[in-house]
Amino acid sequence: GSAGQSIVEDAYASFYGTATYNYRSRYIVSGTVRSDGSNNFGSDEQFNLNWSVSGAWNIDQERWMQPLSHIFSTLGLRGGFGYTGGVNKSVYPVLIMDYSSVFRNAENDFYRMGSIYNAPNPNLRWEKNRTINAGINFGFLNDRITGEFAWYNNKNLDQVTSVRVPYSTGFGNQSFNTSEQINTGVEMTLGATLLKINDFRWRITANAAYNYNELTKYESPTGSIFGDIY
């Protein structure tokens, strides 16, 4: 008998830096910069630069809030903006030959059969995500009643889709960075401690959310639409 063998090698490299500033637990600002590289892309597109900034204001720590501390036990604002990147592992920039266990008999010899299913694209880029978020959290009566309200807007850039190409290329479709998609929504959470006796607590929590998705851009090199966003 014969044994098959499969080898998969992935190479990644990351460089990053981060900084955070905290002033008396009232104002917090942080930032991150990083560059990631992957062999899943052609040499000109291997590295992707990302960055983010975020901040928080703990209003309950302000001196002028102390007279109201018996009412507002927690009150804070936060927000953030940044970019992240993703690797689509279903597409590749190079040709990949898949060998099967079937042999073709030609006169006095046997030939191993193989197929190429993917149409490589060396110009594939990282899929990117731009995120904006903001929120407020609050607590009343020593946090017996708490709540949080958050809003977010995520924009997915350079999403990979499958596009039909002329069969003269040897393939029926090929993957390209074609699409942009917006995902926006709000989330709200409310909680209350109904009973507290020594170490026993009875607490209830309710939450609600609304989300909206929209495909805002599609650019195909052939002008056709085929399949779904991966």
Side-chain angles (χ1 to χ4, degrees), residues 54-175:
S54 61
W57 179 23
N58 295 322
I59 304 175
D60 55 273
Q61 298 298 317
E62 296 286 357
R63 293 181 179 178
W64 47 268
M65 280 291 295
Q66 299 312 306
L68 300 175
S69 60
H70 62 290
I71 300 176
F72 291 98
S73 49
T74 302
L75 184 61
L77 297 174
R78 70 178 189 278
F81 179 92
Y83 287 87
T84 58
V87 178
N88 192 320
K89 300 298 294 182
S90 64
V91 294
Y92 303 93
V94 296
L95 285 170
I96 297 178
M97 174 72 77
D98 293 324
Y99 290 100
S100 68
S101 59
V102 178
F103 289 81
R104 175 171 293 177
N105 185 2
E107 295 183 357
N108 297 323
D109 206 348
F110 292 90
Y111 294 92
R112 183 73 178 271
M113 300 295 293
S115 302
I116 300 176
Y117 297 104
N118 71 302
N121 183 357
N123 297 318
L124 283 173
R125 304 183 299 276
W126 286 70
E127 292 183 329
K128 304 178 184 65
N129 179 272
R130 185 224 64 198
T131 300
I132 306 174
N133 62 76
I136 179 173
N137 61 287
F138 52 86
F140 300 102
L141 307 175
N142 197 26
D143 283 350
R144 291 184 67 91
I145 301 175
T146 60
E148 182 178 2
F149 180 83
W151 169 87
Y152 59 88
N153 180 278
N154 300 329
K155 187 174 184 179
N156 300 311
L157 308 167
D158 289 334
Q159 296 292 285
V160 176
T161 65
S162 183
V163 178
R164 287 196 181 277
V165 295
Y167 283 100
S168 59
T169 62
F171 301 94
N173 56 78
Q174 190 174 12
S175 297

Side-chain angles (χ1 to χ4, degrees), residues 41-57:
F41 307 98
S43 58
D44 294 335
E45 304 291 347
Q46 284 185 342
F47 280 87
N48 179 49
L49 181 64
N50 301 305
W51 60 273
S52 65
V53 293
S54 61
W57 179 23

Side-chain angles (χ1 to χ4, degrees), residues 144 193-204:
R144 291 184 67 91
T193 301
L194 301 182
L195 184 63
K196 181 180 179 181
I197 303 177
N198 297 326
D199 294 332
F200 175 79
R201 289 187 180 186
W202 180 20
R203 184 174 178 82
I204 62 172

